[in-house]
Amino acid sequence: MENAVANAIRVVALGNDGDGIAQTPEGRIFVPGTVPGDEILLVDQNGTHGTLDRVVIPGVDRVAAPCSLFGRCGGCRIQNMALPALLDWKTGRVLDSLQRVGFDAIPTPQAHQVSPHARRRVDLAFRRVGKEIVLGLHRRRGDVVDMTECTLLDPTLFDLLTPLRAMLHSLPAVHTGGDIQINLLDSGPDLLITMDGTPDPNDRRILAQFGKAHGVPRISLQARPPETLALTGPVFHHFDDVRVMPPPGAFLQPARRGAAFIKAAVLAGLPRKGLKAGIIELYAGCGTLSFALAEQAKVHAYEGDRAAFACLKQASGGTRVLPAQRDLNRQPVMATDLAKAAAVVLDPPHAGAGAQIAQIVAGKPPCVIYVSCNPVALQRDLTPLRQAGYRLDSITVIDQFLWSAEVESVCVLTLPGKNRRNRR
């Protein structure tokens, strides 16, 4: 044991992907499955990556992983770290990005974390292996690992997996395998399937029987656009009190409480007065935030995806949401329009807001509320806003991707001098 301790190396931090970082005489290396404070031994080292042999002395935040598939299933990268410490690390990632932006003052963030068994959307792969269907997530750079347990999924989704395996096994159109996206809507699970064969009437019959038996009102085939294979009941979801019919594979925040935390932070960031000028919402999707914002003011909601826009437009009648279809990467909302808004709310994709940021900077709306799922893009997009004089008023961090490196945040920025409206 003394020799092992003497030869051990110490993990000093987590990298952006959730792998532990250890400092060796040869330089920094990344070691999956480790947490800060661990004293470890390696099996081998290949350049900047090492393979863990064993933990000699565990770090204070190391815990036993709650799932026996941890280390094989590719769904959770950091299950061996206590959840409070994981939230602190994710908060630190966001704060580090904001510090790199160069704000004069960074407010103390509010931080929230969802509970286990709360995930309501998942993308899975399935493969025929012998006489069985293996259904789950890919191991890291490897094959599909059968999801025989899961600490992430809502029980309604997890309980669906066993009959789903049997149904997929019976489908003639499934030759070797495919992929399946599942959204847990208010109307029940919504399935979008990719398979390596062409479904015929017999496949559709099997799918319809499955849908009726297991409360799955719609099953669709991944195509351009998606094709409905079986429709056995109404498909709907609610954003606030507005009922929408999301398209197959629609974007949902992964957890209900996570969505609620984001919405609360966005609404709290709106100006107290002057909202008659209206709100411009960019990347509105199916209306995740639109209808809540419309309870405060008129909302000009822009969305580029055709199916999401159609859903938003259909549901917006009788509300103060004014939807417009627009590819914001190719045709951003212009500065002259943004300048007239009381607030601009944007929830861009993982890559960030791209060309839209330059127009926000030029338009100088008094309040910008940025919802981010990527600290790197957040830093890139907020840097020109800070250079234009915006200050950072509040930060909310939301961990709704438990045991992963993913983190959401909501940043509220205002322009001193131009922002003459009282804050909420």
Side-chain angles (χ1 to χ4, degrees), residues 213-237:
H214 298 284
V216 179
R218 180 176 65 186
I219 302 175
S220 305
L221 178 68
Q222 180 68 274
R224 294 188 179 182
E227 177 188 353
T228 300
L229 297 177
L231 185 65
T232 57
V235 177
F236 59 87
H237 196 69

Side-chain angles (χ1 to χ4, degrees), residues 263-326:
K263 181 178 76 172
V266 169
L267 295 180
L270 291 174
R272 184 181 296 273
K273 298 180 180 178
L275 283 174
K276 287 185 179 180
I279 298 167
I280 289 180
E281 183 190 12
L282 308 173
Y283 312 97
C286 295
T288 307
L289 294 170
S290 309
F291 301 108
L293 291 169
E295 294 178 6
Q296 310 298 319
K298 178 175 60 178
V299 179
H300 294 273
Y302 293 88
E303 171 56 40
D305 180 79
R306 185 185 300 273
F309 166 75
C311 170
L312 179 62
K313 184 178 181 180
Q314 185 179 40
S316 62
T319 73
R320 292 195 286 181
V321 175
L322 305 173
Q325 185 179 358
R326 194 155 175 168

Side-chain angles (χ1 to χ4, degrees), residues 81-102:
M81 188 172 181
L83 285 176
L86 185 58
L87 179 58
D88 288 344
W89 173 69
K90 292 189 179 187
T91 302
R93 285 194 66 202
V94 174
L95 289 177
D96 180 67
S97 290
L98 296 173
Q99 288 166 355
R100 292 172 184 271
V101 172

Side-chain angles (χ1 to χ4, degrees), residues 46-63:
N46 182 11
T48 59
H49 291 78
T51 302
L52 178 67
D53 177 15
R54 60 191 171 101
V55 177
V56 179
I57 301 175
V60 295
D61 294 319
R62 172 174 281 276
V63 297

Side-chain angles (χ1 to χ4, degrees), residues 19 39 78 123 126 139 155 191 249 261 302 340 361 387 422:
D19 292 339
E39 301 280 349
I78 324 173
D123 294 355
F126 59 91
R139 71 178 76 240
L191 275 56
F261 289 136
Y302 293 88
K340 301 171 186 176
V361 169
Q387 293 170 343
N422 295 327

Side-chain angles (χ1 to χ4, degrees), residues 109-191:
Q110 295 187 38
H112 306 282
Q113 192 170 53
V114 304
S115 301
H117 303 290
R119 186 71 178 264
R120 61 176 176 175
R121 65 176 173 90
V122 65
D123 294 355
L124 301 175
F126 59 91
R127 299 289 182 268
R128 287 195 185 274
V129 179
K131 297 182 179 181
E132 304 292 334
I133 286 285
V134 173
L135 174 66
L137 298 168
H138 287 273
R139 71 178 76 240
R140 204 168 179 180
R141 295 183 291 275
D143 297 331
V144 180
V145 176
D146 204 30
M147 189 176 281
T148 54
E149 63 176 295
C150 186
T151 53
L152 287 176
L153 285 186
D154 184 293
T156 300
L157 294 187
F158 182 76
D159 291 346
L160 187 66
L161 300 188
T162 296
L164 189 55
R165 289 183 183 91
M167 184 274 288
L168 292 170
H169 184 269
S170 70
L171 279 181
V174 174
H175 300 159
T176 60
D179 301 285
I180 184 165
Q181 300 177 42
I182 311 175
N183 270 342
L184 183 54
L185 305 180
D186 290 341
S187 55
D190 189 44
L191 275 56

